[in-house]
């Protein structure tokens, strides 16, 4: 069975269709010879006896109306009728055919045994022209005058009827198979053509052909695949553009500190101090080196977060309050003039590992320190973490782009911190978002389940209010 499956997988759709049709024809032929032929034999035999009975019914009516006369007509050219009179031991042929001795002996035997009504039997008779025996059907009916009416069906008619019936059934099924095959061919063609288009489209995309277009107007699974491929191509193109832009941004962002370090280093080597004194010039070099270190560290963290997997134990086991407090303690010295406000629930736990979440909190607070005017607020409650500040608001067009890698901020600088925030939150089942407040900006991380629960509570609350308004009205 395994070999058959492997063989079928190597066939094209057209070859699979032809194989299915061939197997169907073989199975149908076996069905005809094994099951249908016996059924046709039984049906044709019953039909032959019905013809014999109809022939006898007509003759019996004539004989009863004319008891002194022998019928001189044949009711059916394929039926031979005889009248057997036991009292005289004679046989009268209604036609010109002689009765076969074997048939006569059988009729005498039936007459001697006593017949009530009509008896249907088969008998093997020898053909004079071929000396071969063939099976004949005959019916014997006792008449009121004690005679017996014998009707014999010619074997040629029976064979012709049976063959015509088989041919009709076979032709009908062949017609059905032909129509089915035509429909299957059309159906397979409707599959092969779009699949070929999809294959050509993928080849063009692989070869970076800008003129690659896929137009398949279908609502089935092939149409869904085509739409998914088109969306994937567009997404890949967008990602490629973003990668190129990111590389340009990174190059631009690293170019300035590298150029500064190089120029300051060469100037000091020549005995010139670009920034008043040697100590101040070296401080500039150290400052730009720290900037480079921070950028490289962010790139390493971003790449690491790209491979971050949620392999932690199920449930929320990480105490976030302690992580937030340690992070605030390490960062508040950067801008001592900024006050920190905390609205932290000590019992809140998040899902995930400590190090990625600490990086998230550090990046959110570091981002807030860049823009805050007087204060930064850090909040923590069940399923939600937020960091807000009273800095300038974000352009509405930029809110949806903030979490992209190396997106330029409102101050013209590029960053990776929010991209890291987004990846960590998304990996552990949370959603990162940004919004403008009446007095500043807020970045939120919300557990997906809690957001859905909030939506349900909001909907149920609105439904209750509607019911109350109806009652009051």
């Amino acid at each position: 069975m395994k070999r058959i499956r492997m063989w079928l997988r190597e066939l094209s759709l057209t070859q699979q269709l032809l194989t299915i049709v061939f197997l169907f024809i073989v199975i149908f032929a076996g069905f005809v010879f094994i099951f249908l032929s016996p059924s046709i034999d039984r049906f044709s035999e019953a039909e032959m006896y019905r013809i014999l009975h109809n022939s006898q019914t007509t003759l019996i009516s004539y004989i009863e109306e004319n008891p002194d006369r022998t019928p001189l007509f044949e009711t059916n050219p394929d039926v031979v009728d005889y009248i057997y009179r036991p009292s005289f031991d004679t046989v009268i042929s209604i036609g010109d055919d002689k009765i076969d001795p074997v048939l006569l002996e059988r009729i005498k035997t039936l007459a001697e045994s006593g017949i009530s009504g009509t008896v249907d039997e088969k008998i093997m008779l020898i053909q004079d022209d071929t000396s071969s025996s063939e099976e004949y059907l005959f019916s014997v009916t006792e008449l009121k005058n004690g005679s017996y009416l014998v009707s014999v069906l010619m074997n040629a008619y029976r064979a012709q009827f049976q063959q015509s019936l088989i041919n009709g059934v076979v032709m009908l099924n062949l017609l059905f198979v032909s129509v089915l095959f035509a429909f299957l061919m059309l159906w397979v063609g409707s599959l092969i053509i779009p699949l070929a288009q999809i294959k050509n489209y993928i080849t063009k995309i692989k070869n970076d052909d800008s003129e690659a277009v896929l137009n398949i107007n279908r609502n089935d699974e092939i149409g869904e695949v085509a739409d998914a491929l088109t969306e994937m191509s567009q997404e890949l193109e967008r990602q490629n553009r973003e990668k190129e832009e990111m590389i340009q941004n990174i190059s631009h962002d690293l170019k300035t500190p590298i150029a500064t370090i190089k120029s300051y280093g060469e100037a000091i080597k020549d005995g010139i101090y670009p920034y008043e004194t040697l100590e101040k010039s070296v401080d500039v070099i150290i400052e730009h080196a720290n900037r480079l270190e921070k950028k490289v560290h962010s790139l390493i963290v971003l790449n690491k977060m790209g491979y971050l997997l949620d392999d932690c134990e199920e449930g929320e086991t990480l105490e976030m309050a302690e992580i937030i407090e340690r992070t605030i303690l390490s960062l508040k010295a950067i801008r001592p003039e900024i006050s920190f406000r905390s609205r932290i629930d000590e019992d809140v736990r998040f899902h995930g590992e400590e190090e990625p979440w600490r990086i998230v909190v550090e990046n959110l607070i570091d981002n807030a320190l860049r823009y805050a005017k007087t204060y930064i607020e850090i909040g923590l409650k069940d399923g939600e973490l937020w960091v807000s500040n009273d800095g300038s608001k974000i352009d509405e067009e930029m809110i949806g782009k903030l979490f992209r890698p190396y997106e330029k901020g409102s101050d013209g600088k590029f960053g990776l911190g929010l991209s890291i925030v987004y990846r960590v939150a998304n990996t552990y089942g949370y959603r990162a978002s940004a919004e403008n407040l009446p007095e500043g900006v807020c970045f939120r991380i919300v557990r997906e389940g809690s957001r859905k629960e909030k939506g349900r509570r909001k909907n149920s609350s609105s439904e209750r209010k509607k019911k109350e308004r109806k009652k009051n009205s």
Side-chain angles (χ1 to χ4, degrees):
M1 193 66 182
K2 185 178 179 181
R3 291 182 177 179
I4 295 176
R5 289 199 300 268
M6 292 178 63
W7 175 71
L8 287 175
R9 289 175 183 174
E10 295 177 355
L11 300 178
S12 64
L13 286 176
T14 304
Q15 292 172 335
Q16 292 181 26
L17 173 62
L18 294 175
T19 302
I20 292 173
V21 172
F22 174 75
L23 291 176
F24 179 82
I25 293 174
V26 171
I27 294 172
F28 173 72
F31 171 77
V32 168
F33 287 107
I34 297 174
F35 298 101
L36 192 59
S37 292
S39 299
I40 291 177
D41 289 339
R42 290 191 295 271
F43 174 78
S44 62
E45 183 176 305
E47 185 66 19
M48 295 304 101
Y49 281 123
R50 187 186 66 80
I51 294 173
L52 290 173
H53 296 163
N54 290 339
S55 176
Q56 286 194 338
T57 300
T58 303
L59 289 174
I60 290 172
S61 298
Y62 179 83
I63 293 172
E64 289 177 353
E65 293 176 359
N66 305 277
D68 298 330
R69 300 178 61 180
T70 300
L72 299 177
F73 60 89
E74 293 179 347
T75 57
N76 192 317
D78 298 304
V79 178
V80 180
D81 300 299
Y82 305 95
I83 297 177
Y84 172 65
R85 295 177 177 176
S87 56
F88 299 101
D89 192 23
T90 59
V91 175
I92 301 174
S93 176
I94 297 178
D96 297 330
D97 300 291
K98 295 182 179 180
I99 191 169
D100 189 278
V102 177
L103 177 60
L104 180 59
E105 290 297 325
R106 181 57 184 163
I107 294 171
K108 290 181 180 180
T109 302
L110 290 173
E112 292 174 357
S113 62
I115 296 175
S116 177
T118 301
V119 175
D120 298 325
E121 284 204 1
K122 304 175 186 177
I123 191 170
M124 299 297 295
L125 300 179
I126 298 175
Q127 302 297 309
D128 294 335
D129 52 350
T130 61
S131 298
S132 60
S133 59
E134 292 186 8
E135 186 180 61
Y136 283 76
L137 305 180
F138 68 95
S139 296
V140 180
T141 302
E142 183 182 12
L143 302 177
K144 292 181 179 180
N145 58 8
S147 300
Y148 294 93
L149 177 61
V150 181
S151 298
V152 182
L153 184 67
M154 301 295 292
N155 191 61
Y157 177 74
R158 179 191 176 191
Q160 182 181 1
F161 176 82
Q162 188 172 357
Q163 189 63 40
S164 299
L165 187 62
I166 293 175
N167 291 339
V169 172
V170 171
M171 290 300 297
L172 181 63
N173 282 273
L174 287 177
L175 178 62
F176 171 76
V177 171
S178 300
V179 174
L180 178 62
F181 178 74
F183 276 110
L184 286 174
M185 286 297 293
L186 292 174
W187 178 66
V188 171
S190 68
L191 295 179
I192 292 176
I193 293 174
L195 287 176
Q197 293 177 349
I198 291 174
K199 180 181 178 181
N200 293 333
Y201 178 73
I202 294 175
T203 303
K204 290 182 178 179
I205 294 296
K206 180 181 177 181
N207 296 330
D208 199 18
D209 188 351
S210 59
E211 297 181 356
V213 178
L214 182 61
N215 294 321
I216 296 179
N217 188 17
R218 297 172 67 114
N219 296 323
D220 55 5
E221 287 79 1
I222 292 180
E224 293 176 358
V225 171
D227 294 340
L229 284 173
T230 303
E231 293 176 2
M232 182 191 71
S233 176
Q234 295 173 353
E235 179 65 20
L236 288 174
E237 185 178 355
R238 185 190 66 79
Q239 291 182 6
N240 288 333
R241 288 198 305 269
E242 288 186 353
K243 286 180 181 179
E244 292 177 359
E245 184 180 355
M246 188 181 78
I247 292 173
Q248 294 175 359
N249 293 339
I250 292 174
S251 301
H252 181 272
D253 208 21
L254 299 180
K255 183 178 179 180
T256 300
I258 291 174
T260 301
I261 292 172
K262 182 179 179 181
S263 61
Y264 270 59
E266 291 176 349
I268 292 173
K269 181 179 178 181
D270 295 335
I272 301 172
Y273 306 131
Y275 192 43
E276 298 179 0
T277 65
L278 174 62
E279 183 178 353
K280 289 184 179 181
S281 299
V282 173
D283 287 340
V284 172
I285 294 175
I286 294 173
E287 177 189 356
H288 284 278
N290 289 335
R291 285 183 59 196
L292 279 176
E293 182 182 16
K294 187 175 181 180
K295 298 297 181 184
V296 172
H297 176 71
S298 297
L299 285 171
I300 293 173
V301 172
L302 180 63
N303 184 66
K304 180 181 177 182
M305 294 307 166
Y307 297 95
L308 181 66
L309 298 176
D310 184 7
D311 52 2
C312 304
E313 60 178 317
E314 295 184 3
E316 299 166 348
T317 58
L318 183 64
E319 296 182 358
M320 288 295 294
E322 183 179 353
I323 295 175
I324 294 173
E325 290 173 0
R326 291 202 306 265
T327 306
I328 293 175
L329 185 62
S330 63
L331 295 178
K332 64 188 304 184
I334 296 176
R335 292 186 65 185
E337 74 277 11
I338 300 297
S339 63
F340 281 79
R341 304 175 184 177
S342 298
R343 296 171 57 187
I344 298 174
D345 187 347
E346 298 291 337
D347 297 328
V348 173
R349 287 175 170 80
F350 271 31
H351 173 71
E353 295 182 353
E354 178 178 347
E355 183 60 25
W357 277 119
R358 176 158 185 167
I359 294 174
V360 167
V361 177
E362 287 178 351
N363 288 341
L364 289 176
I365 295 178
D366 181 68
N367 182 74
L369 284 170
R370 292 169 58 186
Y371 301 101
K373 297 178 180 177
T374 59
Y375 75 90
I376 294 175
E377 181 179 277
I378 298 97
L380 178 67
K381 61 181 180 180
D382 185 30
E384 186 173 351
L385 164 68
W386 72 90
V387 177
S388 61
N389 65 84
D390 60 345
S392 58
K393 295 183 180 181
I394 305 171
D395 189 351
E396 292 295 334
E397 296 181 357
M398 291 295 300
I399 289 180
K401 304 177 182 180
L402 288 175
F403 297 98
R404 294 180 182 177
Y406 252 84
E407 187 67 33
K408 183 185 290 185
S410 58
D411 57 355
K413 295 182 179 180
F414 301 96
L416 295 172
L418 294 180
S419 177
I420 295 172
V421 170
Y422 177 82
R423 289 193 180 184
V424 174
N426 189 58
T427 299
Y428 290 135
Y430 295 77
R431 181 177 179 84
S433 62
E435 60 180 297
N436 288 316
L437 300 177
E439 297 180 356
V441 177
C442 180
F443 289 87
R444 296 184 187 276
I445 296 177
V446 183
R447 186 175 62 239
E448 290 289 351
S450 64
R451 292 177 72 252
K452 294 177 182 178
E453 186 65 29
K454 285 181 181 179
R456 287 195 291 268
R457 289 200 298 266
K458 184 176 180 181
N459 292 335
S460 61
S461 176
S462 62
E463 289 177 0
R464 286 197 302 269
K465 290 180 180 179
K466 289 180 181 179
K467 291 181 180 179
E468 290 176 359
R469 285 198 295 268
K470 288 182 180 180
K471 289 181 181 179
N472 296 331
S473 60

